[in-house]
Amino acid sequence: MHYVCPACESENKIDLTFPVEEYVCNTCSHLIDVAGNKQIKHLKVPTENVVLEVGQKGKIGGEEYTVAAIIVKRYGTNIFWREYYLKDSKGGDAFLSESDGHWVFLVTIHPDDFKGKSSTVRTYQGRNYRWYENSPCSIYAAAGFFDEHLDFNLATYKEYVNGTRMISQETVGKKNQYFYGVHISKYEVKTAFKIAHMPYYTGVGIVQPYYFDIRQTVNIFCIAALLICLFQLYVYTSRTNETVFAQTINFTDVQDKEMVSSSFTLSGGSAPLKVNAFSGVDNSWANIQLSLVNEKTNEVIYTSKDIEQYHGYEDGESWSEGSQSEDFNLCGVSSGQYHFLISAEKDGALPTFSNLQSPDSKVIISRDKSGAVEINDMLKGQTTIFTDGKALEKDTSEVARLTKESFGTQKLDSLINAEAPQLTTDPISSNTYVQLKATWLPVSFWNFGFIIFIMVALFLAMWIGKHFFNVNKWKNSSNTPYPTS
């Protein structure tokens, strides 16, 4: 249908058929009375934060609506909100109200359906609605087509709220109208009407939902907790807790190569495999490289561990650090058939000895960790140092000749390599092995308890957050159910 404005003779069209009593010319912005085809008054054009246009179509809840009119209403001097009048294909009414970026979808209801003896709490469809506030307002700007005459007198909106629902009672003079509204997200409005830009929202809307659905969250957490409990019960009843591997490995057996251990079986749910490594380190270190091999999948879990222990005496006090034993876990190991690949090494210092005297008491020989050999000529009281045993054996000096003669026909390299281990005082040379022990750990309730604790903490945080959210929602109400300071 279309109308020709009597003020500017421009044509006004809308793709709807319903009884129009007044319209606002889209060219000159005069309010036109259809019956008398005359202009009534000039109106302001709705512009600020208006995102829909008269005649624009959109689908909400499966029903297609057309924007028939737009009214901007003012509360006080600087508070505005926008109301979009919608018509469906049969001429039915609906409304979109937007304030500070918060949207409400409303439909008219019969006054008798909204009942209550109390002026504070009233009932609609079995739900109690609490009075929020009275908002006196007037029409600030308008556009579009109207099926009744616009009333520019001061109107009062009395709003009742229940969560994301509201009842709005509009009173103009002696006329009362009731509207039932529900929150609608700006993304739903944007999608329905294909809007490029939406007004930025601030504050908390009167029927804005909390950021989280507490009831749905509780259901999800309860289901998750039940599944976790069932899984924990399965792990607990199916696990066998035992030592699955224990072996002493000589460093010489794994020097520059890997040892393959015997197979062992892990049964039950996934759990950590605890490994204890011991080596007799004393002012020295040892290192163990361990690979756990799943014989079915060939999946390998690799780890390396240092064992260090040092001690000494400094500034009149003794000190020590490190340990001869180290524990570590291979986490999340599932059931199956496994074996270890083992390699190890230790501090590589040479065996040492000191003050080894020759049979004729003419020479005293010593060797330190670096392999340097010290010769003490007892007759001359002189000391000579050679870089190693081979240098001493090849040397032709007088002290080298005296050393060889004093120790008789025994070769000097045999003395150093054969006798030294028997006379050593160096603990490094006596550390010849590492002990490994792997234990399929008992079922741990730590992760189970931690997850349950996190869920409870999250629920409490959301519950407390919702309380403060509602306090903020009702802070502008003179009828807030929350204490005010």
Side-chain angles (χ1 to χ4, degrees), residues 436-456:
L436 292 177
K437 180 181 178 181
T439 305
W440 193 220
L441 286 180
V443 176
S444 173
F445 285 88
W446 188 89
N447 289 337
F448 167 76
F450 180 74
I451 294 174
I452 298 298
F453 171 79
I454 290 297
M455 290 195 295
V456 172

Side-chain angles (χ1 to χ4, degrees), residues 111-127:
D112 294 340
D113 294 335
F114 189 51
K115 302 176 181 179
K117 296 180 180 180
S118 169
S119 61
T120 302
V121 178
R122 302 182 70 178
T123 302
Y124 176 70
Q125 293 184 347
R127 294 179 182 271

